[in-house]
Amino acid sequence: MAGLGALISCPPSAADAVADALAARGSDVACHRAGSATLIVRAALPIVHELDGCVAVVDGVAELGALLSAYRQKGPSGLLGGPDPYALILRDPKRHGLMLARNGDGPPLYYAQTVTGILVASEPEALLAAGVPAVPDQQVVADFLDTGACDASDRTFYAALRRVLPGQVLALDIEVTDHTPAVTRRPRAMSARMALRWAITPGRLGVRLTPGPVSAAVYGATEAAEVPVKVVAESAQASLTGKLDLAEYVADLGEPLPDLESYLIWDTARRVAGEIDALLDAAPAGPHLARLADRVGSRYGVELRFPQCDAAADADWSELAVRTPPIAPPPSTADVLRRIGPDLAASVLHGAPSVAAVGQLGTLLDGDPSVAEALFRRHVLAYWLARHAPATPPEPPPDDVVAGGRTWRRTPVETDILQPGDPLPEKLAWYVAETASGATEPWYVLVSAKAVAVTQGRVRPVWEITPGIAARCVSALTGEPPWLAQSAVAYGSGSRAIMAALCGRLRLARLADRFVNAPMRAVRPPRDAAAGAGRIGVTGPPRYGDDVAQEVLDTLAKVLTEAEYAQLAGCAVVGPTGLWGFAGSGTPDLVSALGAGDPFADRRTPVVLAFAQPLRAARTPAGRKPSRRPRR
């Protein structure tokens, strides 16, 4: 699969960016520059065709001489013809702009019109690399989530990009003009037997066996043709036992695809890459299959063939079906999603969570598979959105603080991810002892209140929370998710939550604070940057903070040296809303100052150690001798 690109009135750096972004489609590059236009082709043997003053680049099989002759006679519609699929970009010096053509289900072409010029490429990523903004098209995203629609219109998942549809010819200039013939000659639908004959050619073939007569017919046709065939029955399903590799999947495909079957086809092709040249699959027709075939072919060198797409809709496959080797039925989408529950929950809750999505998640986990396809689409979409989310700068380490007349250095301690039921003191003791080794000045242990709440089981997945009437009223007044409002109601009361929300709506902040108690303030929503259960659940306030702090101190007494423990002034349970517990010989007010600014944040650092810095004796400034004059 070659990579095509074209630019008009764009800087040379944009052309270089397009060529570099198409590197997966070929090892070499050929460019043609004429005036403000640049044509690019990237392939193993790239060729820029120049005929009768026109310049063209092609991906696929096309007879350019005949096409250009038809172009001269019929105009742009003459660029379509022949049984083979292809994509073509033509620069005609007698016309302004570019001609784009896609014959049949030829390789994709994308284009964008910016304030500076026109850009065309075989992949959206090439246009994004040239500076086109990667802003999602919200209507396309909504349609995809609702119905799974994609690749059926010229709109893409990117608001600034458009695609050339199969069998379409466009003239790209200041405006986009469609020159597609009013009556497009479509190839006559084949019988099942003829579709199989077209799909089976000499070479290294593979068949992805799936249940059903179409796959059995494909397998039978390869057996009858007596060609060497690799039967793939389990390799793709083996990957479903663990986490789906959706990050790589979305990176390869460029845009989301709507179903688990597409993932399985992609995964099978990459697993058998290098062993076969073409993979036959029984997938039913769909507008997204052309993109799937193009990206798999360019990445892994495996040509995907779908005989059912070439056959008539009423073709009889059962008469060609034969007995196949035993194959295990593939797991359903619902079963796969249940296996990856935490990862699925995180993708549903973060980015753009909705009440409907959380309800669907709860329905799935309750055993109803009817929402599985919609949740899978949302899961894939979350990975695609994450690729284009702005990079979050790393959180700076906590600053030193001055408290009690001394400077204290706060040192975060990274630990294993804490889970409900974990013995917190034992989990933290070793990490604290390693970090505090050799301490010779007073120091404190600050434990995150959220970490304590998690180990105490005070974190609930959002799909298990049923908002009541009070929570829905609070949600309507404040706009916060109803499951978060319900958690605040649970740790306070409905009347308190409603009055606080109403006062906040009236901008009476001080009065609103009087209705909110400490446990209500401590409720924390799920956060994407959080670790463990805090990423998919609402965390409440901790309990028995003083007892927890004392247990941590008692455990540290067993693992610290006498000298280190003698300098330990205390342990505190600290949260963004203040101090939740303290034990030790130190001062609680001092600890509150040490925990200012939430030093834990969302890192995997449930413990922060605050070390007092050594006191420095006053020194005489350099270059000045001490005075011998007696002080009065």
Side-chain angles (χ1 to χ4, degrees):
M1 296 290 183
L4 307 184
L7 305 92
I8 293 182
S9 302
C10 294
S13 59
D16 295 338
V18 169
D20 292 342
L22 295 173
R25 305 181 74 93
S27 57
D28 205 356
V29 181
C31 294
H32 177 90
R33 292 183 173 88
S36 62
T38 302
L39 269 67
I40 302 167
V41 58
R42 183 140 199 169
L45 295 172
I47 300 176
V48 177
H49 303 273
E50 299 183 48
L51 295 171
D52 298 332
C54 295
V55 182
V57 288
V58 182
D59 182 10
V61 180
E63 180 54 54
L64 275 181
L67 290 178
L68 288 178
S69 177
Y71 170 70
R72 296 298 187 198
Q73 296 175 11
K74 304 177 184 179
S77 62
L79 294 176
L80 297 178
D84 296 312
Y86 60 82
L88 178 146
I89 304 175
L90 176 72
R91 168 65 170 164
D92 185 352
K94 297 180 181 179
R95 290 176 178 264
H96 297 289
L98 299 167
M99 304 300 304
L100 311 181
R102 187 177 170 196
N103 194 55
D105 284 330
L109 279 179
Y110 300 85
Y111 61 91
Q113 295 174 292
T114 67
V115 293
T116 58
I118 298 172
L119 302 95
V120 184
S122 297
E123 299 183 0
E125 293 86 344
L127 303 182
L128 303 182
V132 179
V135 179
D137 188 318
Q138 297 301 330
Q139 185 58 52
V140 173
V141 168
D143 291 343
F144 177 78
L145 290 176
D146 290 341
T147 65
C150 63
D151 296 68
S153 71
D154 65 334
R155 298 179 68 169
T156 71
F157 283 86
Y158 301 96
L161 304 187
R162 292 293 182 266
R163 70 167 50 85
V164 181
L165 295 174
Q168 191 175 42
V169 182
L170 299 179
L172 230 60
D173 197 3
I174 297 176
E175 296 181 349
V176 179
T177 307
D178 192 344
H179 292 280
T180 305
V183 179
T184 303
R185 180 177 297 176
R186 297 179 177 273
R188 186 176 180 179
M190 302 180 186
S191 65
R193 192 180 302 276
M194 186 59 67
L196 290 173
R197 287 183 180 178
W198 274 98
I200 299 174
T201 58
R204 300 182 302 170
L205 298 182
V207 176
R208 191 178 76 94
L209 278 184
T210 55
V214 180
S215 186
V218 173
Y219 174 76
T222 58
E223 290 284 298
E226 298 182 354
V227 295
V229 175
K230 179 179 179 62
V231 178
V232 185
E234 298 87 6
S235 62
Q237 298 173 20
S239 64
L240 297 182
T241 58
K243 181 178 178 180
L244 300 180
D245 193 2
L246 290 181
E248 188 71 18
Y249 174 62
V250 172
D252 277 351
L253 275 297
E255 296 175 279
L257 291 183
D259 51 24
L260 180 63
E261 189 72 9
S262 298
Y263 176 87
L264 290 174
I265 296 171
W266 166 82
D267 186 67
T268 302
R270 69 168 181 165
R271 287 172 178 270
V272 299
E275 301 178 29
I276 62 174
D277 300 319
L279 179 66
L280 279 63
D281 194 88
H288 61 283
L289 292 182
R291 172 159 58 94
L292 175 61
D294 174 76
R295 301 300 284 257
V296 166
S298 63
R299 265 63 180 173
Y300 303 107
V302 176
E303 179 186 354
L304 295 182
R305 299 176 186 172
F306 305 103
Q308 191 173 2
C309 298
D310 298 326
D314 58 350
D316 186 6
W317 295 90
S318 58
E319 64 176 2
L320 302 177
V322 300
R323 185 182 297 275
T324 64
I327 58 172
S332 66
T333 304
D335 290 338
V336 172
L337 293 182
R338 291 190 188 101
R339 293 175 190 173
I340 59 171
D343 192 39
L344 172 66
S347 67
V348 168
L349 295 176
H350 303 297
S354 67
V355 176
V358 175
Q360 288 175 343
L361 181 61
T363 301
L364 175 71
L365 296 178
D366 286 341
D368 185 354
S370 61
V371 297
E373 297 297 333
L375 278 175
F376 182 81
R377 293 194 295 270
R378 185 176 292 275
H379 191 40
V380 174
L381 182 69
Y383 274 83
W384 178 78
L385 292 172
R387 293 189 70 227
H388 303 292
T392 303
E395 297 178 0
D399 298 328
D400 292 351
V401 293
V402 177
R406 299 192 67 171
T407 299
W408 299 78
R409 174 154 298 170
R410 298 187 297 186
T411 304
V413 180
E414 184 173 346
T415 70
D416 292 336
I417 295 178
L418 298 173
Q419 303 292 347
D422 282 347
L424 183 70
E426 289 78 3
K427 280 280 188 177
L428 303 183
W430 183 85
Y431 296 98
V432 172
E434 285 292 309
T435 308
S437 177
T440 58
E441 297 288 340
W443 59 289
Y444 286 88
V445 177
L446 310 181
V447 181
S448 167
K450 184 175 181 179
V452 174
V454 168
T455 59
Q456 291 175 343
R458 294 173 69 80
V459 55
R460 289 188 66 191
V462 296
W463 59 87
E464 294 181 0
I465 301 174
T466 303
I469 297 176
R472 296 188 183 278
C473 292
V474 172
S475 178
L477 289 170
T478 63
E480 68 181 18
W483 57 85
L484 183 61
Q486 178 61 39
S487 300
V489 169
Y491 291 112
S493 67
S495 57
R496 279 179 172 273
I498 292 175
M499 290 302 299
L502 185 59
C503 292
R505 187 68 177 266
L506 297 176
R507 299 183 179 180
L508 303 174
R510 291 186 178 180
L511 185 59
D513 287 342
R514 296 178 61 182
F515 288 103
V516 182
N517 58 24
M520 294 171 68
R521 288 192 181 92
V523 173
R524 287 292 175 265
R527 293 173 61 90
D528 192 22
R535 192 173 180 222
I536 59 175
V538 177
T539 307
R543 293 180 296 181
Y544 318 121
D546 291 339
D547 295 340
V548 172
Q550 186 60 55
E551 290 177 6
V552 172
L553 278 183
D554 294 342
T555 305
L556 289 176
K558 303 174 184 178
V559 296
L560 296 173
T561 65
E562 292 185 5
E564 293 166 352
Y565 189 76
Q567 295 296 334
L568 177 56
C571 174
V573 178
V574 181
T577 58
L579 189 65
W580 286 90
F582 179 78
S585 59
T587 308
D589 292 339
L590 175 62
V591 175
S592 297
L594 296 179
D598 189 17
F600 310 100
D602 282 324
R603 297 180 296 268
R604 290 175 50 182
T605 52
V607 179
V608 170
L609 305 186
F611 296 97
Q613 299 303 292
L615 295 173
R616 297 181 179 180
R619 293 183 301 176
T620 303
R624 182 183 300 177
K625 296 181 179 180
S627 173
R628 297 181 180 178
R629 182 179 300 176
R631 300 183 63 180
R632 295 181 181 179

